[in-house]
Amino acid sequence: MKLFLLTASAVAFTLSVSGCVTKGYVSKQVDPISCRVDVLETKNASLNQRINAFESRVATLESQVSQAQLANKAMLDDATARAADSAQRAEAAAAAATQAAARTEKLFELGQKK
């Protein structure tokens, strides 16, 4: 039992002397990583702000496109209605011209017979 205790204490002593890491060593190893993490967090925050700004711009542009599409549709509907109205008036004028031509032809024939 004494041999076991002596061996265990020798192993513990060896581990404590050679295997321990000091606070200074840990700081030296962790500080550069911490700085890089801080830089990356700053860049990430900056990129998130830019993304939010772009999302806002996209939303604005989508709204403007939607309004332009509605305005174009209204203009197209108006132009279509005007074209249909003009076509109806042209057809009515053509029919009236045909009737007038027929009447004129009859009057000419009657005038020739006299």
Side-chain angles (χ1 to χ4, degrees):
M1 187 71 175
K2 285 185 179 183
L3 182 61
F4 175 75
L5 286 175
L6 184 60
T7 306
S9 64
V11 168
F13 176 77
T14 304
L15 288 176
S16 67
V17 171
S18 64
C20 286
V21 180
T22 63
K23 289 182 182 180
Y25 177 78
V26 171
S27 290
K28 276 184 175 180
Q29 299 301 315
V30 172
D31 284 344
I33 294 171
S34 178
C35 288
R36 287 194 305 215
V37 168
D38 290 342
V39 167
L40 291 174
E41 285 177 345
T42 302
K43 285 183 181 180
N44 188 28
S46 173
L47 289 173
N48 282 337
Q49 288 176 347
R50 290 180 67 193
I51 287 171
N52 290 338
F54 284 130
E55 286 176 346
S56 175
R57 286 182 190 172
V58 167
T60 300
L61 290 174
E62 285 176 342
S63 174
Q64 289 174 349
V65 166
S66 177
Q67 290 174 356
Q69 286 174 336
L70 290 175
N72 286 343
K73 185 178 181 327
M75 289 172 48
L76 178 64
D77 290 345
D78 184 46
T80 302
R82 285 183 184 183
D85 184 47
S86 295
Q88 287 176 350
R89 286 186 290 158
E91 287 176 6
T98 303
Q99 288 175 352
R103 276 189 254 147
T104 303
E105 189 177 325
K106 284 183 184 180
L107 287 175
F108 181 73
E109 288 175 7
L110 289 174
Q112 290 292 326
K113 289 184 181 179
K114 286 188 184 179

